């Protein structure tokens, strides 16, 4: 009996075997860049072939059970075979779906670190306070993931929170998870400054940019204007009296980045260059994402900063993600960094859409 999925999997088995031999070749091991790339592909193919082995075994079991039903006369054996077939009828579609999702090509950006930017939007002081709450939420989430988060620039609000805060997040597969957070986050609650107890709606904008490496963007020093100035905010006397803060302006695009969290001008310059490179890279990457979004219903990870993606309703203790119409009633836990369930739902939705594109 023909099985298109098994036929497709044969090419993955061949490539898996081929790479298995290549990564033991001394010449390949000596070329570190190629070796790392092949090792990563080997791990991905190992997951596919392992799932395929289980699927093949289940199909073989099904054929054996069907043969017993067709040829055996022993009632007990036939009953066992029937139960086996019923169990497999539930498991096989799940196994097929799992394999198909593994076959969907991963976004090469998913493994990158990110630049996380949060800005207070409409709502004045309350928007700044909400931006601070979002930053705390992401900080808690990153801590639970074992990721490192470093603030590079922060502009505090007059009543607390942040008008703007920018941070680097580094770890394993950061962009592939945090990319779903780009967009407008809306909050509905009674602000601390409200005397009448009225519920206000405010917003903050989150941008998640994949961190660009030097090979991704080549910067011409002549295109960059560098300004130095005294850092502001907490950090001791040296922060406010030395010209350690850096402002870089990319003249062709007008992109401006600042970094003032380090006491060393050299360290601030390195971080600012990294952010500038990522922002320039993000402009081109956004064009790519816009093309994908035009074909995809969910617009899950387009990074569109103007799209309202989520509402945090404090009176009802409710969080709603508008892209997939998904609601949770555990706002306190979400604001404490427990956003895993929302992100998992978004990943499933996006993978389903990407699967449709492949025609598997």
């Amino acid at each position: 009996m023909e099985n298109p999925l098994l036929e497709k999997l044969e090419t993955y088995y061949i490539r898996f075997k081929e790479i298995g031999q290549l990564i033991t070749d001394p010449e390949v091991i000596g070329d570190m860049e190629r070796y790392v790339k092949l090792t990563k592909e080997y791990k991905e193919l190992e997951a596919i072939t392992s799932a395929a082995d289980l699927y093949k075994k289940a199909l073989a079991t099904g054929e054996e059970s069907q043969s017993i039903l067709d040829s055996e006369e022993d009632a007990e054996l036939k009953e066992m075979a029937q139960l086996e077939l019923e169990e497999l009828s539930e498991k096989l579609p799940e196994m097929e779906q799992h394999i198909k999702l593994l076959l969907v090509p991963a976004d090469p950006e998913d493994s990158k670190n990110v630049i996380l930017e949060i800005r207070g939007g409409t709502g004045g002081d309350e928007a700044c306070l909400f931006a601070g709450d979002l930053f705390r939420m992401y900080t808690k989430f990153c801590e639970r993931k074992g990721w490192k988060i470093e603030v590079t620039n922060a502009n505090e609000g007059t009543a607390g929170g942040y008008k703007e805060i920018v941070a680097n997040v580094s770890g394993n597969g950061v962009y592939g998870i945090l990319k779903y957070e780009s967009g407008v986050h809306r909050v509905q609650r009674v602000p601390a400054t409200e005397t009448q107890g009225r519920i206000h709606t405010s917003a903050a904008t989150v941008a998640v940019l994949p961190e660009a490496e030097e090979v991704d963007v080549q910067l011409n020093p002549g295109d960059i204007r560098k300004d130095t100035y005294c850092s502001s905010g907490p950090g001791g006397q040296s922060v406010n009296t030395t010209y350690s803060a850096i402002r870089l302006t990319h003249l062709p695009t007008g992109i401006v980045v600042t970094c003032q969290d380090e006491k060393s001008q050299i360290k601030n310059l390195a971080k600012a260059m990294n952010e500038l490179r990522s922002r320039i890279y993000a402009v081109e990457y956004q064009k790519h994402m816009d093309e994908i979004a035009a074909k995809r219903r969910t617009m899950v990870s387009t990074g569109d900063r103007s799209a309202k993606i989520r509402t945090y309703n404090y009176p009802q203790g409710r969080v709603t993600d508008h892209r997939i119409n998904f609601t949770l009633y555990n706002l306190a836990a979400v604001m404490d960094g427990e956003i895993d369930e929302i992100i998992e739902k978004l990943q499933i939705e996006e993978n389903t859409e990407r699967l449709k594109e492949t025609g598997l």
Side-chain angles (χ1 to χ4, degrees), residues 55-221:
Y55 179 59
K56 282 183 175 180
K57 189 176 178 182
L59 286 174
T61 301
E63 288 178 5
E64 189 180 330
S65 296
Q66 188 60 54
S67 176
I68 289 171
L69 273 180
D70 294 341
S71 59
E72 280 288 341
E73 293 184 4
D74 187 292
E76 191 175 342
L77 273 177
K78 292 185 82 167
E79 186 181 351
M80 287 172 64
Q82 184 62 45
L83 288 170
E84 188 75 63
L85 281 172
E86 287 172 6
E87 189 179 325
L88 284 170
S89 68
E90 293 179 12
K91 284 170 63 177
L92 282 171
E94 291 175 8
M95 295 174 91
E96 287 172 4
Q97 184 71 3
H98 176 60
I99 291 168
K100 286 176 182 179
L101 287 173
L102 288 173
L103 296 183
V104 175
D107 185 338
E109 309 299 315
D110 284 356
S111 60
K112 288 183 181 287
N113 296 328
V114 307
I115 307 285
L116 173 67
E117 174 191 279
I118 306 171
R119 294 175 185 266
T122 54
D125 288 342
E126 170 63 6
C128 294
L129 291 169
F130 180 51
D133 292 338
L134 287 176
F135 181 67
R136 178 183 176 276
M137 178 182 84
Y138 292 127
T139 300
K140 291 278 188 183
F141 180 68
C142 291
E143 286 172 358
R144 288 173 53 244
K145 288 282 184 184
W147 296 342
K148 184 180 180 182
I149 184 164
E150 289 181 288
V151 175
T152 57
N153 190 44
N155 185 1
E156 294 182 0
T158 53
Y162 299 100
K163 291 179 182 175
E164 176 191 22
I165 184 162
V166 181
N168 291 337
V169 183
S170 54
N172 185 29
V174 177
Y175 184 71
I177 294 171
L178 281 185
K179 65 183 179 181
Y180 301 98
E181 296 304 297
S182 282
V184 176
H185 294 242
R186 190 175 67 162
V187 63
Q188 295 171 329
R189 65 186 178 188
V190 179
T193 54
E194 170 60 53
T195 56
Q196 303 295 320
R198 291 172 297 190
I199 295 169
H200 287 224
T201 298
S202 305
T205 303
V206 175
V208 179
L209 313 176
E211 187 179 79
E213 298 168 12
E214 288 190 38
V215 292
D216 296 325
V217 178
Q218 297 294 327
L219 291 177
N220 181 355

Side-chain angles (χ1 to χ4, degrees), residues 264-327:
S264 160
Q265 186 183 120
I266 294 171
K267 288 182 179 177
N268 279 332
L269 177 59
K271 286 186 176 182
M273 284 294 288
N274 182 55
E275 185 179 335
L276 179 62
R277 197 180 293 115
S278 296
R279 288 187 183 279
I280 293 169
Y281 178 71
V283 172
E284 290 304 311
Y285 182 64
Q286 184 60 48
K287 291 177 186 175
H288 166 66
M289 292 308 297
D290 288 342
E291 288 174 11
I292 293 172
K295 303 173 188 173
R296 213 175 275 168
R297 182 181 60 82
T298 57
M299 290 184 65
V300 165
S301 62
T302 63
D304 184 351
R305 301 189 200 190
S306 63
K308 182 185 74 177
I309 63 166
R310 198 174 296 150
T311 296
Y312 305 74
N313 185 296
Y314 275 70
Q316 297 177 18
R318 168 172 57 82
V319 181
T320 300
D321 196 287
H322 304 292
R323 293 163 293 183
I324 53 174
N325 197 26
F326 177 65
T327 298

Side-chain angles (χ1 to χ4, degrees), residues 19-82:
I19 294 177
Q21 292 172 339
L22 282 171
I23 57 177
T24 60
D25 185 331
E27 189 177 327
V28 172
I29 295 169
D31 184 347
M32 189 50 66
E33 189 178 339
R34 188 185 179 200
Y35 179 74
V36 170
K37 190 177 178 182
L38 286 171
T39 304
K40 185 182 176 186
E41 188 181 353
Y42 183 83
K43 286 180 181 176
E44 291 171 355
L45 289 170
E46 188 174 35
I48 292 169
T49 53
S50 294
D53 287 341
L54 291 173
Y55 179 59
K56 282 183 175 180
K57 189 176 178 182
L59 286 174
T61 301
E63 288 178 5
E64 189 180 330
S65 296
Q66 188 60 54
S67 176
I68 289 171
L69 273 180
D70 294 341
S71 59
E72 280 288 341
E73 293 184 4
D74 187 292
E76 191 175 342
L77 273 177
K78 292 185 82 167
E79 186 181 351
M80 287 172 64
Q82 184 62 45

